[in-house]
Amino acid sequence: MSWNTFGRVFRFTTWGESHGPALGVVVDGCPPGINLTESDIQPFMDARKPGQSKYTTQRREADEVRILSGVFEGRTTGTPISLMIENTDQRSKDYSEVAKAYRPGHADYTYDAKYGFRDYRGGGRSSARETAARVASGAIARKVIPEVEITAWVEQIGDVAMDYDRFDKATIRTNPFFCPDAETVSRWEDLVDGARKSGSSLGALVTAQAEGVPAGWGAPIYAKLDSELAAAMMTINATKGVEIGDGFAAVTNTGETNADPMRPGADGGVAFEANHAGGIAGGISTGQPVTCRVAFKPTSSILTPVDTITSEGEATQIQTKGRHDPCVGIRGVPVVEAMMALVLADQKLLHRAQCG
Amino acid sequence: MSWNTFGRVFRFTTWGESHGPALGVVVDGCPPGINLTESDIQPFMDARKPGQSKYTTQRREADEVRILSGVFEGRTTGTPISLMIENTDQRSKDYSEVAKAYRPGHADYTYDAKYGFRDYRGGGRSSARETAARVASGAIARKVIPEVEITAWVEQIGDVAMDYDRFDKATIRTNPFFCPDAETVSRWEDLVDGARKSGSSLGALVTAQAEGVPAGWGAPIYAKLDSELAAAMMTINATKGVEIGDGFAAVTNTGETNADPMRPGADGGVAFEANHAGGIAGGISTGQPVTCRVAFKPTSSILTPVDTITSEGEATQIQTKGRHDPCVGIRGVPVVEAMMALVLADQKLLHRAQCG
Amino acid sequence: MSWNTFGRVFRFTTWGESHGPALGVVVDGCPPGINLTESDIQPFMDARKPGQSKYTTQRREADEVRILSGVFEGRTTGTPISLMIENTDQRSKDYSEVAKAYRPGHADYTYDAKYGFRDYRGGGRSSARETAARVASGAIARKVIPEVEITAWVEQIGDVAMDYDRFDKATIRTNPFFCPDAETVSRWEDLVDGARKSGSSLGALVTAQAEGVPAGWGAPIYAKLDSELAAAMMTINATKGVEIGDGFAAVTNTGETNADPMRPGADGGVAFEANHAGGIAGGISTGQPVTCRVAFKPTSSILTPVDTITSEGEATQIQTKGRHDPCVGIRGVPVVEAMMALVLADQKLLHRAQCG
Amino acid sequence: MSWNTFGRVFRFTTWGESHGPALGVVVDGCPPGINLTESDIQPFMDARKPGQSKYTTQRREADEVRILSGVFEGRTTGTPISLMIENTDQRSKDYSEVAKAYRPGHADYTYDAKYGFRDYRGGGRSSARETAARVASGAIARKVIPEVEITAWVEQIGDVAMDYDRFDKATIRTNPFFCPDAETVSRWEDLVDGARKSGSSLGALVTAQAEGVPAGWGAPIYAKLDSELAAAMMTINATKGVEIGDGFAAVTNTGETNADPMRPGADGGVAFEANHAGGIAGGISTGQPVTCRVAFKPTSSILTPVDTITSEGEATQIQTKGRHDPCVGIRGVPVVEAMMALVLADQKLLHRAQCG
């Protein structure tokens, strides 16, 4: 089945392929009366846009968003918001090789296995180009949750991790890696440039955090906030893992070292003394920052020939020459932020439905 | 919002609290004509059942499942299957302490924050007792996918990991830890018993694998097979992370070391030379084993007093005396298996809907 | 597909067959903190209960509801509410005739065509006994919308209509026909008793009204309030038509005679001068009473032999002797009320989700 | 809440307003490998298109559909199909009157009541222009159910009904009224032209029929085929009632006159001797033609001034001058057909999901 809608009450539906005329998204369930223009969305598109440095794919797309419905006199009307982004740089390259043989690690083989044939141009629907639509709708989601500030960054590329002692949020948008540690940037420049030049690729670890989420969001048991975040992140191309709070490190914690003790807060609320849980308990937000980490595999497109088969089942090899990201996780940062915003907006409205 | 249904066409809805009269599940969308009796379900219940060794909670529940609808003359009719499990050992202990103060790491505070009050007896709806209903419905899901064999095991408890060189599937059900490595069992006995005696608790890593999943299951983009698995696993109590295939290790892979090369298969199909992807590409199964790993945090219930607040916001401390699992991840194994079966059954039917 | 859940945020899932051990419903999404005991539900069950007069089926069921979850110390907790009703009078009659031959007008043939076999005892899942679960959950829905008063009645049985000049709401519950016109009661007594004695059956027209619905409920475009009501009513056994406001009579109205002019209301609100629209415009409530009418066909179970075929395709005849309602629409009244309450509760919460 | 998606597995999401730059629909879940081009869709658009006779609105729209995704080399790929129709004739008339005062019978007041403000240009989202998107997706749905032939027609306008003795399916597309009875056409010409000239409006009755639906489609209990059809039809602008088979006439049938006796069919199947049920029993198709009738109210836009209030609550009057359909039910015919196709396509896939 094709399932291109996400969300329970604040819902979005994306459409479009890498090399079609356009791609887009319909956002349904957005509250009315929110100020919204294309200029609210464009900065997020620009952050995700390809071709901005030599560390990302050289495909050049303006990624200009057009609002086609749901906004009147600068405000959302409560009706579906249709956003469209035209594809402008679908280079007329020769796809005959990709058409004939399956690129390992890509969705070529599985789309064929599922659907019987596939749009092979640039990966068709399975292309990460689809994430442009998510970033566009994520910009709307952010406006639904003005109380929340969402920030994501790259924590590690390959085996080179940033240093949290030098963490500076203001640094994130000043370099092409969304790196919050200025000293790590130059190391990543060398690393990613090396991979690019040799036609290799690298994995990455992306961390995201939402500050300002009030206690009480989350829909137990099968739409728990952590479950929704995990689902959202694992729909992003090239993701292989997700964790909340301490995540896999919690395996080696004990009940004592994993505890998040509570104290009376200054404002009559609660002051937590730790946040191993990542801001979620029992699937519901605690009021602390909600944190998650997402593992991106290295781009499957590499210059080294890899064994594969043709669609007729013959043995062959394939190497991927065209434009691609040497580290797809980098451009995953704005997408991770968007998915977090989309999940939180949905949970805010769901909470309001039941609890007023 | 309360959201207690999971699945898109093969759906189940659970209900019940730790200390209510019963708990249960309604399974809807099950194909007709499948042989089903209580005895098909009971073995899975027994695997999850508490009180079977000193390494798990001493609450004793028969966990006998009763089929109340949807089965006629031993076969599923295609109509909703209602399963009920009576609670028999809701010990009439004194809950006044839990009623007044929040147990850190539990859902006490968040349920109060969300709903204004809570059923504090044994955690109410947030108790892991709810997973009994999942295991029961998982047994039905397995019958929907007879081509698939699902196996989960504990890979690590605390900082003691099993050794895959000694992996023996047949060993898993011969010890109280679902450990596939006989030599590790005694180490875990000491480790868990130590935690139990000292009133501490331990995290665990559970690995699951589905063999026999044909290529083509999965519903891109927002019901990708990996996304559905991640969502499913992250609804289980105490889980903090999930990964598919190499998961977080893929961050340090390169495109070359992460590749899963393909060769023509003996049967005219495909033979993969590796499975870093965990059997899923582009959100669709490849035909290889589908693998995932789930991180369980240590049980939050510990004897050591932890700082907390009362529901009136006063500072206090709480220690948890009652019956509890020193390592909740162990009993997570049958639940992980059940969730995997439930996701795969749903995806099989979804695939059939669109692709015939 | 089997689809036994209704609602978008306030959802209920029913289960059970006519002759199984029990039937029930899980209500999910109910707001927390609502006072609820079995005694809030029972009066509605009693209104629908069979065997209360000679004008309905003589099956005798206590229809006692048991709350199994979701309520703590007399209040809803926000978690799923499981209700169960045991079947006590599944008379051990001989079903061999029904097992072999299809009763025209019943679901016998279609369930076989769909599922390959069927639970033939008393109609199995297709029995109107399922509506007991709806009435039970409808009682909860009413508590979610205390601002709304829902009333349904029988307007016509066969070709004998009540007279609206004698409409008296207080009369409805004083007679076995839910008739608001005392003078019509005796005519219906004769009519229905005649049908009962001759083994025939009669259709009925049921009208329902919801007063107190504020302006603004409804989810355009594919969950319009009128669409949801139509869907809800057409799931009730034996219904063949539904109309809102003037309904089919609007076909012969003109724009002038169909208008609902508006005037400033006493309270600063709106005073409508007519309600041809039945309280809904553009799929959203206007603040006027929401009205709908539902057509019930005559019970298909009649003494007169009807041509049919056996499950092997042989020609035969069938006559239905057992207990049945000579006019199934009568007992449809509490079900229509319940469905109206369930739709309105869902729409209230949906509206709150988007519009705060 | 805004809810602009319809369907359970074959789903479509519409967007757009009367006077926005465009409107469209995303169709998700369509099986792969179906031949599809714009020319498959356009004829259905043309049948619904305004401005084709003096009996419909004089707004002129090309209603040219553009396929933006989901089709590759002339075949559906199984991924979402995005269709867009540009608005070209949004006449720059003066909307100041409509902006200030509510048109009774329209959604002006209710959209304001729900959302706080509204796009008043041509009715915004509540305009029947939205149905263009349904007709476009309905054309795709038809290709999913090639075994089914769907036909709708106008049975009555105002109080002038066609005569079924003269029913000729071939006549339907030969006149501007979708009338299957040639002799009635001239009477409707006079009737509708009279209404048009006097600025009045008329209601209509539309009948639809689906031949070739096999026995077994329908998802009891809350997605019964009749319930889905009722829901679908009642989302169409200006509809006030829907009935299946004999519908409201079944109220005066008896069990004997309402029976659909069964005989062995020539082909080893079933031959029904009547179809009072409209091809549906127990919510599942019987294999007979599925029939339903839909009541359309007269267009609320009339020249006669009607009492209303301004958005500030002041008493005023409003008359509607602009372009409008004197009988909106006429152009409802292609929309009714589309909705029937969309429901049946969804139910076919749902049936396949559960029953293989």
Side-chain angles (χ1 to χ4, degrees), chain A residues 276-312:
Chain A
H276 298 284
I280 303 173
I284 303 172
S285 57
T286 62
Q288 297 169 280
V290 173
T291 65
C292 78
R293 300 206 303 170
V294 184
F296 285 84
K297 69 175 184 180
T299 320
S300 298
S301 302
I302 51 175
L303 265 181
T304 305
V306 183
D307 283 356
T308 191
I309 59 170
T310 66
S311 48
E312 275 75 43

Side-chain angles (χ1 to χ4, degrees), chain C residues 338-349:
Chain C
M339 294 308 288
M340 200 166 207
L342 290 157
V343 164
L344 289 169
D346 191 31
Q347 289 292 340
K348 176 183 179 174
L349 302 193

Side-chain angles (χ1 to χ4, degrees), chain A residues 3 130 200 222 240 263 316, chain B residues 3 130 222 256 263 277 316:
Chain A
W3 207 283
E130 183 268 347
S200 183
Y222 298 116
K240 299 306 291 183
R263 295 282 80 182
T316 185
Chain B
W3 207 283
E130 184 267 347
Y222 298 116
E256 293 76 16
R263 294 283 80 185
T316 184

Side-chain angles (χ1 to χ4, degrees), chain A residues 147-160:
Chain A
E147 62 271 61
V148 177
E149 184 185 334
I150 293 170
T151 318
W153 58 88
V154 177
E155 184 175 312
Q156 183 173 332
I157 296 179
D159 50 13
V160 180

Side-chain angles (χ1 to χ4, degrees), chain C residues 1-3 8 110 114 130 200 216 218-220 222 224 227 231 235 240 242 244 256 263 277 281 308 316 351 354, chain D residues 1-3 8 110 114 130 200 216 218-220 222 224 227 231 235 240 242 244 256 263 277 281 308 316 351 354:
Chain C
M1 179 51 62
S2 177
W3 207 283
R8 297 172 192 272
T110 54
K114 183 174 193 71
E130 184 268 346
S200 183
Y222 299 116
K224 286 178 169 176
S227 170
T235 63
K240 299 305 291 183
V242 61
I244 303 293
E256 292 78 17
R263 295 282 80 186
T308 192
T316 184
H351 176 67
Q354 189 181 22
Chain D
M1 180 50 61
S2 177
W3 207 283
R8 296 173 191 272
T110 54
K114 183 174 192 71
E130 184 266 348
S200 182
Y222 298 117
K224 285 178 170 178
S227 170
T235 63
K240 299 306 291 184
V242 61
I244 303 293
E256 292 78 15
R263 295 282 80 184
T308 191
T316 184
H351 176 67
Q354 189 182 21

Side-chain angles (χ1 to χ4, degrees), chain C residues 54 189-201 303 324 326:
Chain C
K54 65 181 173 183
E189 285 174 350
D190 294 344
L191 184 69
V192 179
D193 204 38
R196 184 183 66 82
K197 283 179 179 154
S198 64
S200 183
S201 65
L303 265 182
H324 70 265

Side-chain angles (χ1 to χ4, degrees), chain A residues 262-265 268-270, chain B residues 100-102 307-317:
Chain A
M262 302 165 80
R263 295 282 80 182
V270 183
Chain B
K100 278 188 308 197
Y102 299 125
D307 283 356
T308 191
I309 60 170
T310 67
S311 48
E312 276 75 42
E314 302 294 314
T316 184
Q317 283 199 322

